C-alpha cells in the first residue's frame, strides 16, 4: 500500500527552493540516522521557523528500517506542531539514491523528494537513469535531484578517490533531457570528515590547523550563467568544527587532520542559486564529542539517555547555528 507524503504532512522542495533562490538563503539538508538526530533537527528548525530537509541515505534507511522511517517522518511533522510551529515545511529526502528501484520504493513509502545519483555513470546513462526516476516521481509530485560531476570522499556507500568538477557546458542539456527539479554539482566540496588531504591544504602558522583550498566559485558562476534561477545543491558541505574534533581527540578519539568547508564560503554559496546545502559529518562529530566526553567524565554511566541526551543537545545547538549563521533560513516559512 503506497503512502502519499502529502497525507502525512510533508512537502516537496519546489516552493522552498524558489523562495530560497529569490531571497538569497539556502534550505538546510540534514542527514539523520537515529531518533536523537531527528529530535534535534526538528527542535532547531521548528523553534527557528526554518524549512528543513530530513535526508536519509540508503545506508541510513537500512539502519533505521523503511517502515519506521515513514512513521518517524510523520511524527516529526506532529512534533514540530507541538513545538509551536503551526505549518512546518518538512521534506523527507533520499540522499544518493543509486537505482531506479530504490527511488521508486522511497516514493511509494512517503518520501517527498528523492535524489538519483548517476554521476559515476557515463553521461548518457546518467541522463537515462535520471529521466526514468523523474518520470516516476513526478506522477506523485515528488521532486527529484540529479547530480553532475563527482565529489571525492566517503559517505555510506558513496565513495570516490578523485573529484571531477561539474562541466558547465553539460548542465543545460542534462537538466532539459532529464527534467530534474534541482542539480547537485561538484565545485570542491567532498564527503566525510576528511574533506581534503593535508597536501591540498595550507597550515595556519598560528594554530597549525589545516586551511582547505577555496571552493571553485568560477565553476558555480558559469553554471548559474547557463541555468539562471535553477536550484543548485551542494553536497559534502559540513564545516567539521574544530571544537568537536578537539573534544573527540581529547577524550580518546583519533581524528587527526579532519577538515571541512569554511563557513564563510558556505555563506557566500547560500546567497547564490545554491538553495540546498547538505550537512552530515558535523552532526556525527557533535554526537560523538558529547558521548565521549560524558562517558570519560562518568565512566560508571550506562544509561544511554545520560549520554545520548547531551549528544542531542549539542547537535541542536549546532543545527541552530547553521540555520541562523550559515544558511539564513530562519523565519523563512511560507506562512
Amino acid at each position: 500500500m503506497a503512502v502519499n507524503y502529502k497525507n502525512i504532512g510533508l512537502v516537496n522542495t519546489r516552493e522552498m527552493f524558489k523562495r530560497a533562490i529569490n531571497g538569497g538563503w539556502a534550505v538546510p539538508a540534514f542527514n539523520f540516522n537515529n531518533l536523537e538526530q531527528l529530535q534535534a533537527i526538528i527542535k532547531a528548525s521548528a523553534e527557528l521557523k526554518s524549512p528543513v530537509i530530513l535526508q536519509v541515505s540508503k545506508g541510513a534507511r537500512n539502519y533505521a528500517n523503511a517502515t519506521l522511517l515513514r512513521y518517524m517522518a510523520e511524527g516529526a511533522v506532529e512534533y514540530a506542531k507541538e513545538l509551536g510551529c503551526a505549518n512546518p515545511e518538512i521534506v523527507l529526502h533520499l540522499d544518493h539514491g543509486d537505482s531506479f528501484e530504490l527511488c521508486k520504493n522511497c516514493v511509494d513509502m512517503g518520501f517527498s523528494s528523492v535524489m538519483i545519483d548517476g554521476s559515476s555513470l557515463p553521461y548518457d546513462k546518467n541522463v537515462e537513469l535520471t529521466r526514468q526516476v523523474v518520470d516516476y516521481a513526478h506522477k506523485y509530485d515528488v521532486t527529484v535531484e540529479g547530480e553532475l560531476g563527482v565529489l571525492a570522499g566517503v559517505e555510506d556507500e558513496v565513495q570516490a578517490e578523485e573529484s571531477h568538477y561539474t562541466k558547465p557546458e553539460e548542465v543545460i542539456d542534462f537538466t532539459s533531457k532529464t527534467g530534474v527539479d534541482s542539480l547537485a554539482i561538484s565545485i570542491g566540496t567532498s564527503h566525510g570528515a576528511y574533506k581534503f588531504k593535508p597536501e591540498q591544504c595550507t597550515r595556519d602558522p598560528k594554530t597549525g590547523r589545516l586551511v582547505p583550498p577555496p571552493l571553485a566559485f568560477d565553476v558555480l558562476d558559469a553554471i548559474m550563467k547557463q541555468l539562471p534561477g535553477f536550484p543548485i545543491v551542494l553536497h559534502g558541505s559540513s564545516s567539521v568544527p574544530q571544537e568537536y574534533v578537539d573534544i573527540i581527540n581529547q577524550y580518546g578519539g583519533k581524528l587527526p587532520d579532519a577538515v571541512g568547508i569554511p563557513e564563510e564560503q558556505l555563506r557566500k554559496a547560500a546567497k547564490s542559486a545554491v538553495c540546498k546545502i547538505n550537512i552530515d559529518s558535523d552532526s556525527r562529530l557533535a554526537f560523538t564529542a558529547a558521548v565521549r566526553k560524558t562517558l570519560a567524565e562518568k565512566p560508571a554511566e550506562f544509561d544511554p539517555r545520560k549520554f545520548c541526551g547531551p549528544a542531542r543537545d549539542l547537535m541542536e545547538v549546532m543545527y541552530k547555528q547553521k540555520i541562523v549563521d550559515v544558511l539564513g533560513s530562519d523565519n523563512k516559512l511560507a506562512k
Side-chain angles (χ1 to χ4, degrees):
M1 175 70 186
V3 181
N4 187 309
Y5 70 88
K6 293 175 184 177
N7 294 338
I8 55 179
L10 298 169
V11 299
N12 67 24
T13 58
R14 200 168 288 120
E15 291 307 314
M16 61 175 71
F17 282 178
K18 270 186 207 154
R19 298 200 313 271
I21 292 172
N22 294 335
W25 50 278
V27 180
F30 296 132
N31 286 67
F32 82 101
N33 304 275
N34 63 22
L35 176 67
E36 286 80 11
Q37 280 177 309
L38 181 62
Q39 287 174 312
I41 292 167
I42 296 304
K43 209 149 180 279
S45 56
E47 287 179 12
L48 292 170
K49 305 287 188 278
S50 169
V52 72
I53 296 168
L54 299 172
Q55 289 204 149
V56 182
S57 65
K58 178 183 173 182
R61 195 164 181 256
N62 291 340
Y63 178 82
N65 176 271
T67 304
L68 263 178
L69 260 179
R70 163 251 186 282
Y71 287 100
M72 286 172 89
E74 185 171 2
V77 173
E78 296 308 316
Y79 181 38
K81 290 177 182 172
E82 197 179 288
L83 290 168
C85 185
N87 295 294
E89 291 180 66
I90 299 172
V91 175
L92 182 62
H93 173 77
L94 171 67
D95 191 21
H96 289 290
D98 60 359
S99 68
F100 171 74
E101 290 70 28
L102 175 61
C103 291
K104 177 184 183 298
N105 190 250
C106 286
V107 170
D108 295 345
M109 288 289 282
F111 279 61
S112 56
S113 177
V114 293
M115 177 198 188
I116 179 65
D117 181 1
S119 61
S120 60
L121 300 170
Y123 180 80
D124 290 345
K125 291 282 180 211
N126 186 2
V127 169
E128 190 184 321
L129 176 61
T130 305
R131 179 80 239 179
Q132 188 187 8
V133 171
V134 168
D135 285 344
Y136 186 79
H138 279 185
K139 279 191 225 167
Y140 302 95
D141 201 24
V142 169
T143 40
V144 180
E145 176 185 326
E147 180 164 348
L148 267 181
V150 178
L151 269 67
V154 180
E155 179 185 50
D156 287 355
E157 291 84 8
V158 182
Q159 57 179 326
E161 280 297 311
E162 288 176 41
S163 64
H164 303 282
Y165 285 166
T166 303
K167 295 175 185 160
E169 63 272 18
E170 290 180 346
V171 295
I172 295 178
D173 185 68
F174 184 81
T175 52
S176 56
K177 280 183 178 166
T178 59
V180 286
D181 301 284
S182 61
L183 182 66
I185 61 167
S186 172
I187 59 167
T189 54
S190 63
H191 293 132
Y194 298 91
K195 298 196 181 296
F196 305 97
K197 293 176 181 143
E199 57 269 27
Q200 293 174 280
C201 304
T202 53
R203 279 202 189 268
D204 183 323
K206 287 198 191 85
T207 62
R209 293 196 192 279
L210 295 177
V211 180
L215 298 180
F217 281 100
D218 55 331
V219 177
L220 174 60
D221 289 341
I223 291 167
M224 291 194 304
K225 200 173 273 183
Q226 295 287 332
L227 293 175
F230 193 84
I232 301 295
V233 176
L234 279 192
H235 282 244
S237 296
S238 285
S239 56
V240 185
Q242 288 303 308
E243 66 264 32
Y244 302 153
V245 174
D246 290 346
I247 293 169
I248 290 168
N249 291 339
Q250 182 187 341
Y251 291 103
K254 200 173 177 188
L255 288 177
D257 292 335
V259 63
I261 310 298
E263 288 190 336
E264 62 270 16
Q265 296 202 34
L266 297 175
R267 275 185 210 105
K268 181 178 173 183
K271 290 185 167 63
S272 69
V274 172
C275 57
K276 171 177 181 268
I277 292 183
N278 291 13
I279 294 167
D280 185 4
S281 298
D282 285 355
S283 67
R284 296 181 183 199
L285 291 166
F287 192 101
T288 303
V291 169
R292 278 195 174 276
K293 183 172 188 289
T294 307
L295 290 179
E297 290 174 349
K298 300 175 184 170
E301 191 54 76
F302 66 97
D303 179 348
R305 293 170 299 182
K306 294 290 169 53
F307 49 85
C308 288
R312 181 179 63 189
D313 295 343
L314 191 57
M315 288 190 296
E316 184 191 335
V317 169
M318 186 276 297
Y319 291 134
K320 284 180 170 172
Q321 185 265 330
K322 298 287 183 195
I323 287 169
V324 175
D325 294 343
V326 182
L327 307 167
S329 63
D330 48 315
N331 296 309
K332 298 293 194 303
L333 292 174
K335 41 196 163 172

